[in-house]
Amino acid sequence: MKQLLLLLLIGNLTLAQEKRKLVWEENFTGKTLNETNWNFEVGGGGWGNNESQVYTKENHQLVDGNLVITAKLEGEQYTSTRITTQGKKEFKYGRFEARAKLPVGQGIWPAFWMLGSNINLVGWPKCGEIDILEYIGRDPHMVYTTLHTEARHGENGNSKKTELKEIEEGFHVYAIEWTKDKIEFFVDDQSVYIFSPEDKPEAVWPFNQPFYFIINMAVGGNFGGPKVDDSIFPQQYTIDYVRVYQ
């Protein structure tokens, strides 16, 4: 019975995807990151989360059609890379997904997420935030999916964590289906969280505007944890592709 229900769910998802058109994809097939689509965000200072790393342009490579972000311990400094599509590729509604392989270890914090395009006007959290994937090495086998809004943000965000025993093994697809009424999160086409408030004032539902992508790997911080196991470095966060269907 469970297998039949799973097949029906997968079938419904496939039909939903077939109704949409692939409108943008990034396959990381070039020799260097395509800066027509992507921005580098560089520097340290905690990034609002007391993170320990400094972001650089050098902690990434394009290898065999993958973006590989490497977190390193260089002397007494952690380094990593953070990229965004702000001002270049911004989208409203659709299916948004990435196929990625996670790093592991105490203190590591990779993410695939989105911010509202009006962030420079209204700030965070009023702009809204969609965390399609967050993983923290101190909490193995758990995938975090979260929405931050003016009404609920930070530790009080609309959030769900899902235990997936083999999430650290190989590649997995992390996705959302976003409409004017709801945002549904998926891991490997398995629905893990749905946010669909009945009332949608701006403070609860800032998700009626374009959002842009962010891919990064943080070290430590409020969520990654204050303790970092230095023996785990270097760690690689590998992204095969990013796709948008509308």
Side-chain angles (χ1 to χ4, degrees):
M1 186 64 178
K2 289 183 179 179
Q3 289 181 331
L4 177 58
L5 289 173
L6 181 59
L7 287 171
L8 288 171
L9 287 171
I10 293 172
N12 289 336
L13 179 62
T14 302
L15 288 172
Q17 287 177 275
E18 286 176 353
K19 292 178 182 178
R20 293 199 175 111
K21 179 181 178 181
L22 179 65
V23 298
W24 182 70
E25 63 182 329
E26 174 62 84
N27 293 305
F28 303 110
T29 53
K31 293 183 179 179
T32 60
L33 193 68
N34 182 357
E35 293 189 52
T36 302
N37 297 331
W38 298 96
N39 313 293
F40 288 98
E41 293 190 330
V42 299
W47 293 83
N49 301 299
N50 294 312
E51 298 168 24
S52 300
Q53 81 292 324
V54 171
Y55 286 122
T56 81
K57 292 185 176 182
E58 288 72 44
N59 286 66
H60 82 287
Q61 291 179 295
L62 268 59
V63 181
D64 297 329
N66 295 314
L67 168 67
V68 181
I69 295 175
T70 303
K72 302 177 182 178
L73 176 58
E74 303 183 75
E76 297 183 355
Q77 180 64 66
Y78 306 107
T79 59
S80 186
T81 287
R82 169 172 164 143
I83 60 174
T84 87
T85 63
Q86 185 177 19
K88 296 178 177 179
K89 295 294 178 181
E90 301 180 349
F91 305 93
K92 175 183 173 182
Y93 305 150
R95 179 180 172 90
F96 304 83
E97 65 181 33
R99 183 173 182 264
K101 183 178 180 181
L102 298 174
V104 296
Q106 178 83 30
I108 216 71
W109 177 11
F112 170 57
W113 51 301
M114 305 180 78
L115 283 173
S117 59
N118 65 346
I119 187 171
N120 291 337
L121 295 175
V122 303
W124 184 94
K126 193 171 183 178
C127 66
E129 177 178 326
I130 306 171
D131 297 328
I132 303 173
L133 158 70
E134 285 186 292
Y135 171 86
I136 48 176
R138 65 181 172 84
D139 197 7
H141 316 314
M142 296 292 181
V143 170
Y144 287 79
T145 47
T146 304
L147 295 161
H148 296 278
T149 66
E150 187 178 16
R152 293 188 59 179
H153 55 272
E155 293 182 358
N156 191 40
N158 302 281
S159 187
K160 169 81 180 297
K161 74 173 184 176
T162 304
E163 183 176 19
L164 298 164
K165 288 292 189 181
E166 298 180 354
I167 202 65
E168 291 89 357
E169 299 178 17
F171 285 87
H172 299 272
V173 176
Y174 305 90
I176 59 168
E177 295 268 357
W178 171 23
T179 71
K180 64 181 179 62
D181 297 312
K182 71 176 183 179
I183 298 176
E184 184 169 6
F185 294 79
F186 297 86
V187 179
D188 293 332
D189 290 339
Q190 173 188 342
S191 177
V192 295
Y193 179 49
I194 299 174
F195 181 67
S196 182
E198 184 174 342
D199 297 318
K200 292 181 171 63
E202 185 179 0
V204 172
W205 186 264
F207 309 111
N208 54 2
Q209 61 163 326
F211 275 57
Y212 63 88
F213 290 113
I214 304 172
I215 299 174
N216 71 293
M217 176 163 47
V219 178
N222 298 339
F223 195 44
K227 295 182 179 180
V228 180
D229 180 1
D230 289 348
S231 70
I232 69 173
F233 296 99
Q235 281 293 316
Q236 293 185 331
Y237 176 30
T238 305
I239 299 89
D240 179 15
Y241 62 72
V242 178
R243 292 176 181 166
V244 177
Y245 298 85
Q246 290 181 327

